[in-house]
C-alpha cells in the first residue's frame, strides 16, 4: 500500500471511477494461453456430461470465481433451480481462465461450457474444434487496450515502434495490438510481441521487462486502479470488436439441447439484472483479498446476423495478420439458440 498518496485530481478520479465499473462477465471471459482446467469432481454415479444414476444430466462448467451471473447463481441456488427444471445439475470444474485450454477440454470431453472472446475463439476454431458458440456479449471497449507504465515516454501507438509489447498469443492481447498497429499504419513487424499468459504478465510489465501490455479489463482495471499503468489506446480508440461468447461442447448441445436453452435463458435474464445492478454481482463470496473485483456485466444475447458479420471481419483480420493460417469459417460453428432443438 502507498502511504500518504497525493490527492487525486477530479479528472483522474472520474477516470478511475469509470474503470472501477468495468470487467464484464470478464472474470469468465477467457482469451488464449494457459493450462487446462481441472477435471470435474462429479458425484457418484454421474457420467461425463451425461446422465447420472437417477437420470440427472450433469453439465460441466468452469467455476465462476467471485463475480458475475454464474457466481451469484452458484451461491444463491438460482442456477440449480433453473437447471433442475430440465433435469440437469452443474458440476463445477477447476476455475474459469483462458479460453484456449477450455477449448481443448471441450474437445477432449472434459468440459461442456466455456466463455471466451471472439478472438481466442477464432484461434481455437482453427484447430479441429469440438464446440460451437451460442451467445454473444458486446465488447467492453473502455476496459481493454494497450497499457504503459505511468512514467513511460510512450504516448501514442506510433511510439510502440521498436518496443516490446506483452500479448497473449492468438487472443485478445494480440488482437488489440495488431488492430491498433494496423489502424495507425504501423507494420506489425516493427513491434516485438512478447507472448505471455495474462495471469503471469503483471510482474513482467511492472518490472519493466516489456514496454507495454495489450490486455482486457480483468487485468487492466487492477493495474490502472493501483496507479501502475495508463492506457496509451483503449478499445474505443483501437476500434475493437472483441465480443465475449459462450461455447458449448458440440456433443452436449446435440444430446441435451433443452439444457443449453435453459442455461442460455438463465444467463440472458440474469445478465440483464446484472447490467442494472452490477454491485449485486461483485465479490459474491468475498469482498477482500486477491479475488475481490470491480466491474459490470454485459447482456448475454443470441448471436444475430449483424454479430456474425463482425465475427467474419475479425476472422478475416486474423488471417490477413497470419495469426491463423486461413480464414476461419466462424459461421459454421455458431448455434442459433432460439432455434436449437
Amino acid at each position: 500500500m502507498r502511504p500518504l498518496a497525493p490527492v487525486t485530481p477530479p479528472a483522474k478520479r472520474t477516470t478511475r471511477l469509470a474503470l472501477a465499473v468495468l470487467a464484464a462477465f470478464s472474470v469468465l471471459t477467457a482469451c488464449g494461453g494457459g493450462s487446462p482446467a481441472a477435471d470435474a469432481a462429479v458425484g457418484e454415479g454421474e457420467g461425463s456430461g451425461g446422465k447420472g444414476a437417477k437420470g440427472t444430466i450433469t453439465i460441466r462448467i468452469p467455476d465462476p470465481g467471485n463475480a458475475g451471473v454464474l457466481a451469484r447463481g452458484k451461491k444463491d441456488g438460482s442456477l440449480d433451480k433453473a437447471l433442475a427444471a430440465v433435469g440437469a445439475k452443474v458440476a463445477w470444474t477447476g476455475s474459469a481462465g483462458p479460453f484456449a485450454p477450455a477449448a481443448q477440454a471441450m474437445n477432449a470431453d472434459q468440459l461442456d461450457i466455456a466463455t471466451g472472446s471472439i478472438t481466442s475463439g477464432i484461434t481455437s476454431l482453427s484447430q479441429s474444434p469440438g464446440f460451437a458458440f451460442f451467445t454473444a456479449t458486446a465488447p467492453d471497449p473502455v476496459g481493454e487496450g494497450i497499457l504503459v507504465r505511468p512514467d513511460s515516454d510512450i504516448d501514442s501507438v506510433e511510439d510502440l515502434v521498436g518496443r516490446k509489447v506483452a500479448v497473449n498469443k492468438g487472443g485478445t492481447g494480440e488482437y488489440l495490438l495488431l488492430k491498433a498497429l494496423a489502424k495507425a499504419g504501423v507494420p506489425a513487424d516493427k513491434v516485438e510481441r512478447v507472448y505471455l499468459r495474462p495471469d503471469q504478465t503483471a510482474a513482467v510489465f511492472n518490472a519493466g521487462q516489456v514496454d507495454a501490455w495489450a490486455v482486457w479489463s480483468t487485468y487492466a482495471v487492477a493495474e490502472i486502479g493501483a496507479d501502475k499503468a495508463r492506457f496509451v489506446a483503449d478499445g474505443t480508440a483501437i476500434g475493437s470488436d472483441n465480443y465475449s461468447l459462450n461455447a458449448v461442447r458440440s456433443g452436449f448441445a446435440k444430446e441435451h439441447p433443452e439444457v443449453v436453452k435453459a442455461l442460455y435463458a438463465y444467463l440472458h435474464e440474469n445478465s440483464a439484472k446484472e447490467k442494472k445492478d452490477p454491485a449485486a454481482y461483485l465479490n459474491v463470496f468475498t469482498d477482500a483479498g486477491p479475488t475481490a473485483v470491480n466491474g459490470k456485466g454485459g447482456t448475454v444475447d443470441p448471436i444475430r446476423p449483424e454479430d456474425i458479420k463482425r465475427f467474419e471481419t475479425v476472422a478475416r483480420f486474423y488471417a490477413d495478420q497470419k495469426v491463423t493460417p486461413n480464414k476461419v469459417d466462424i459461421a459454421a460453428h455458431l448455434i442459433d439458440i432460439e432455434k436449437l432443438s
Side-chain angles (χ1 to χ4, degrees):
M1 294 183 65
R2 186 181 305 174
L4 300 177
V7 176
T8 303
K12 190 170 183 180
R13 284 201 300 269
T14 302
T15 301
R16 292 181 61 185
L17 179 60
L19 286 166
V21 292
L22 296 171
F25 203 43
S26 57
V27 173
L28 290 178
T29 298
C31 308
S35 56
D39 292 342
V42 293
E44 185 176 354
E46 294 175 358
S48 298
K51 291 188 176 182
K54 296 181 181 180
T56 301
I57 300 165
T58 300
I59 180 168
R60 297 163 296 178
I61 304 175
D63 188 279
N66 197 32
V69 168
L70 291 179
R72 180 162 175 171
K74 178 184 179 182
K75 183 176 182 179
D76 66 16
S78 58
L79 178 60
D80 287 336
K81 183 178 180 180
L83 292 178
V86 290
K89 63 180 291 187
V90 174
W92 299 108
T93 74
S95 60
F99 184 73
Q104 294 172 1
M106 285 188 288
N107 292 342
D109 190 15
Q110 297 172 349
L111 189 66
D112 300 310
I113 298 291
T115 304
S117 66
I118 181 59
T119 49
S120 57
I122 287 171
T123 306
S124 295
L125 284 174
S126 68
Q127 303 168 1
S128 302
F131 62 89
F133 295 106
F134 66 100
T135 75
T137 302
D140 173 22
V142 182
E144 63 182 9
I146 301 173
L147 294 175
V148 295
R149 289 178 294 282
D151 60 352
S152 173
D153 61 353
I154 298 173
D155 294 315
S156 68
V157 172
E158 290 84 351
D159 291 339
L160 294 172
V161 171
R163 308 297 185 100
K164 295 180 179 180
V165 182
V167 301
N168 56 312
K169 186 174 178 62
T172 293
E174 188 161 28
Y175 169 76
L176 291 170
L177 175 61
L178 292 174
K179 187 81 172 175
L181 294 177
K183 187 172 182 179
V186 176
D189 61 3
K190 297 297 183 181
V191 177
E192 182 179 347
R193 279 169 267 175
V194 179
Y195 293 121
L196 294 170
R197 278 175 42 178
D199 60 348
Q200 298 176 339
T201 306
V204 176
F205 173 74
N206 290 318
Q209 294 175 292
V210 293
D211 302 295
W213 179 12
V215 71
W216 61 101
S217 58
T218 301
Y219 303 94
V221 168
E223 295 301 308
I224 295 175
D227 292 328
K228 294 180 179 179
R230 59 179 171 83
F231 278 132
V232 70
D234 65 12
T236 300
I238 291 169
S240 170
D241 246 341
N242 189 36
Y243 274 66
S244 173
L245 310 179
N246 278 298
V248 59
R249 184 171 60 83
S250 300
F252 190 93
K254 182 178 180 180
E255 296 165 13
H256 308 296
E258 73 286 357
V259 179
V260 181
K261 293 187 76 169
L263 177 61
Y264 162 73
Y266 181 85
L267 293 172
H268 177 71
E269 177 183 351
N270 287 278
S271 64
K273 294 178 181 178
E274 181 188 17
K275 190 171 184 178
K276 293 179 180 178
D277 182 19
Y281 294 81
L282 298 176
N283 304 316
V284 174
F285 292 98
T286 178
D287 59 5
T291 62
V293 296
N294 296 304
K296 68 179 181 66
T299 305
V300 177
D301 296 314
I303 297 172
R304 304 296 188 189
E306 57 269 26
D307 299 324
I308 299 175
K309 290 181 181 179
R310 292 188 176 95
F311 301 165
E312 294 284 2
T313 299
V314 176
R316 168 53 60 195
F317 179 75
Y318 258 27
D320 291 344
Q321 294 289 329
K322 310 301 182 186
V323 176
T324 57
N326 301 293
K327 180 180 176 293
V328 172
D329 183 8
I330 183 73
H333 303 283
L334 302 177
I335 292 174
D336 186 338
I337 192 64
E338 296 175 323
K339 296 180 179 179
L340 184 64
S341 60

